């Protein structure tokens, strides 16, 4: 099959395939955005540090993450509902029915204990003893403040305004060290730098929650954990005894309209960031789809059950995402292409033979005209046209495998020419 002929036959098939591919690009799921907005919490906090790690990992996959500084979990939930940000870390136990309509969780990431540090000499052995003291419970909009307020209600009594001071993390740490306040509460990961610093600080102690188990059973979204003796610093024996604490599980929350591919790359990053062991959990416990208080998508459940998809394991994010979106169109495209490919060879054979057989119409017409024309000078005009026909057929170019048909045609032309060149009336023999 020669190149020109092959292109004439298979060109339409290729054109139809390209047209189908272009149509598929328009009808398949839209490509994921290249930029997302991440509610990062307050600078210097654990959430902000984690958000920066997500930013670095997603940048490696070609997704730009714009960090949005916020006051904390409550602020993150508000901005998510207002569609100002796409994803954020949110403390567990803070969501309600309204959030369940527009948000979903990508899983619990780490336990976030409620730390209450008090200065030495402050007469407090339990959280309820702080109601008349100077206590920072976090800024407005933070998960720390929401959890502290909930616990203050649980402990009862009238808490003074001095026990509800609104300070940022840095302000509260500095004020506690300087003695300007008696206690400071933080809902944070044990990996947060300021938590580690306060655990080692002179003149500051960690307040235990001796009724942590009871609180966890009463308050939705909370669990009890134990900070084991010496786990923060074996050599310095910090803490010097087991300390019961209450904790919420922080989760990665996205809007329900976030692209599934963005979910997938966020889940990959979450696994890389949060799967290591911590002071409260063994390696591999987090992230998971169990410790959430928001709906979890089927993709998230499948990820925690089976791991990353086949495409995500072996292809870069952009390639895997394109193939993942395009595969649903592969079957209809193949269904269209298969009969076209099968039909191409018969069409090719028909077109080549048609180029040969179409000359038989002119040959028959000349033969009939020659038979009806008396011999001599009038018939010479017909023979002349027959010779031109023979010359034109001689220029016909067909594949070698069809030369037998071509030479059969040429022999038939020669037969008719000789027939009409004989003297006397033409023979009645005709080409069948």
């Amino acid at each position: 099959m020669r190149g020109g002929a092959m292109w004439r036959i298979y060109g339409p098939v290729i054109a139809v395939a390209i047209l189908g591919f272009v149509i598929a690009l328009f009808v398949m799921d839209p490509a994921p955005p290249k930029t997302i907005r991440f509610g990062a919490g307050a600078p210097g906090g654990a959430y902000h540090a984690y958000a920066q790690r997500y930013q670095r990992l997603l940048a490696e996959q070609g997704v730009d993450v714009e960090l949005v500084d916020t006051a904390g979990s409550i602020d993150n939930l508000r901005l998510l509902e207002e569609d100002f940000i796409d994803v954020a870390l949110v403390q567990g136990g803070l969501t309600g029915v309204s959030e369940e309509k527009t948000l979903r969780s990508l899983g619990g990431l780490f336990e976030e204990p409620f730390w209450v540090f008090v200065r030495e000499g402050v007469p407090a052995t339990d959280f309820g003893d702080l109601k008349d003291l100077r206590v920072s419970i976090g800024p407005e909009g933070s998960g720390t403040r929401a959890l502290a307020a909930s616990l203050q209600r649980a402990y009862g009594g009238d808490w003074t305004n001095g026990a509800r001071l609104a300070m940022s993390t840095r302000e509260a740490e500095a004020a506690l060290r300087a003695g300007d306040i008696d206690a400071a509460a933080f809902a944070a990961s044990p990996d947060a730098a300021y938590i580690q610093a306060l655990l080692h600080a002179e003149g500051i102690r960690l307040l235990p929650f001796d009724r942590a188990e009871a609180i966890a059973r009463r308050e939705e979204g909370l669990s009890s954990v134990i900070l084991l003796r010496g786990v923060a610093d074996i050599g310095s024996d910090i803490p010097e005894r087991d300390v019961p604490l209450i904790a919420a599980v922080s989760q990665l929350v996205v809007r329900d309209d976030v692209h599934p591919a963005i979910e997938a790359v966020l889940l990959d990053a979450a696994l890389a960031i949060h799967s290591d062991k911590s002071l409260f959990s063994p390696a591999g416990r987090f992230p998971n789809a169990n410790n959430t208080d928001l709906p979890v998508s089927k993709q998230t459940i499948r990820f925690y059950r089976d791991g990353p998809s086949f495409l995500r394991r072996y292809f870069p994010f952009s390639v895997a995402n394109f193939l993942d979106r395009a595969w649903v169109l592969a079957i209809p495209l193949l269904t269209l292409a298969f009969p076209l490919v099968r039909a191409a060879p018969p069409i090719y054979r028909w077109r080549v033979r048609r180029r040969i057989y179409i000359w038989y119409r002119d040959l028959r017409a000349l033969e009939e005209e020659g038979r009806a024309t008396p011999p001599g000078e009038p018939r010479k005009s017909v023979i002349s046209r027959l010779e031109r026909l023979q010359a034109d057929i001689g220029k016909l170019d067909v594949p070698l495998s069809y030369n037998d048909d071509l030479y059969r045609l040429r022999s038939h032309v020669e037969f008719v020419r000789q027939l009409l060149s004989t003297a006397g009336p033409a023979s009645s023999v005709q080409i069948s």
Side-chain angles (χ1 to χ4, degrees), residues 49 61 80 88 90 161 163 180 206 220 227 256 295 301-302 325-326 407 421:
Q61 301 296 330
L80 281 166
V90 174
N161 288 334
D180 296 332
L206 180 61
E220 185 179 1
L227 184 66
D256 60 0
I301 295 174
R302 186 167 55 250
R325 291 183 295 121
Y407 280 98
S421 298

Side-chain angles (χ1 to χ4, degrees), residues 18 52 55 63 142 174 188 198 331-332 372:
I18 293 175
Q52 289 175 325
Q55 184 183 46
V63 180
S142 67
L198 289 173
I331 294 177

Side-chain angles (χ1 to χ4, degrees), residues 7 19 47 78 93-94 106 185 255 275 305 346 357 361 368:
W7 174 251
L19 178 62
Y47 279 12
R78 177 182 63 82
L94 301 179
L106 299 187
R255 288 186 51 80
S275 60
R305 185 186 65 222
Y357 296 154
R361 181 178 57 188
E368 291 175 352

Side-chain angles (χ1 to χ4, degrees), residues 13 16 29 33 90 147 153 187 205 208 229 267 276 285 323 333 343 384 390 394:
V13 176
V16 170
D29 291 338
V90 174
L147 180 52
R153 290 191 297 270
R205 61 186 176 87
R229 175 181 176 180
L267 286 167
D276 293 338
R285 179 178 175 185
L323 294 176
L333 286 177
S384 176
Q390 189 174 30

Side-chain angles (χ1 to χ4, degrees), residues 156-409:
D158 296 325
W159 291 68
T160 65
N161 288 334
R164 302 175 66 87
L165 298 175
M167 294 183 176
S168 69
T169 298
R170 291 177 178 175
E171 291 171 343
E173 181 185 3
L176 185 62
R177 289 178 180 272
D180 296 332
I181 58 176
D182 300 306
F186 309 93
S189 163
D191 298 325
Y194 61 90
I195 296 296
Q196 291 296 318
L198 289 173
L199 285 172
H200 288 79
E202 293 288 340
I204 296 175
R205 61 186 176 87
L206 180 61
L207 188 71
F209 281 79
D210 292 328
R211 288 173 285 177
E213 187 66 34
I215 295 171
R217 296 201 178 195
R218 289 173 55 89
E219 300 293 327
E220 185 179 1
L222 298 180
S223 60
S224 63
V225 295
I226 300 294
L227 184 66
L228 298 175
R229 175 181 176 180
V231 72
D233 191 325
I234 296 293
S236 300
D237 196 23
I238 298 175
E240 60 184 13
R241 65 183 180 90
D242 291 353
V243 181
L245 299 172
I246 57 174
V249 175
S250 288
Q251 53 192 325
L252 192 61
V253 177
V254 298
R255 288 186 51 80
D256 60 0
D257 56 1
V258 165
H259 197 284
I262 296 298
E263 279 193 21
V265 75
L266 284 169
L267 286 167
D268 287 344
L271 187 63
I273 294 171
H274 303 289
S275 60
D276 293 338
K277 64 181 179 180
S278 72
L279 297 184
F280 296 101
S281 60
R285 179 178 175 185
F286 293 106
N288 63 61
N290 302 321
N291 299 104
T292 65
D293 54 8
L294 284 169
V296 178
S297 68
K298 292 182 179 179
Q299 174 177 255
T300 300
I301 295 174
R302 186 167 55 250
F303 176 87
Y304 288 123
R305 185 186 65 222
D306 304 327
S309 67
F310 172 82
L311 294 175
R312 292 288 295 117
R313 288 192 186 103
Y314 297 103
F315 293 97
F317 168 69
S318 57
V319 176
N321 170 62
F322 175 80
L323 294 176
D324 192 47
R325 291 183 295 121
W327 76 268
V328 293
L329 299 168
I331 294 177
L333 286 177
L334 289 174
T335 303
L336 175 65
F338 184 70
L340 289 175
V341 172
R342 289 196 62 183
I347 292 174
Y348 174 74
R349 289 193 296 271
W350 172 79
R351 289 196 59 181
V352 173
R353 285 177 174 168
R354 182 178 179 277
R355 293 172 61 195
I356 298 173
Y357 296 154
I358 196 172
W359 293 95
Y360 278 101
R361 181 178 57 188
D362 296 336
L363 178 61
R364 181 178 291 275
L366 288 173
E367 179 188 3
E368 291 175 352
E369 184 180 350
R371 289 178 181 279
T373 303
E377 195 66 30
R379 189 178 291 182
K380 287 183 179 181
S381 174
V382 178
I383 295 174
S384 176
R385 287 155 53 200
L386 189 63
E387 289 174 347
R388 288 199 298 272
L389 176 68
Q390 189 174 30
D392 290 338
I393 293 174
K395 299 176 183 177
L396 189 63
D397 183 24
V398 297
L400 290 175
S401 57
Y402 295 88
N403 275 343
D404 56 342
D405 295 315
L406 177 61
Y407 280 98
R408 189 179 301 114
L409 169 63

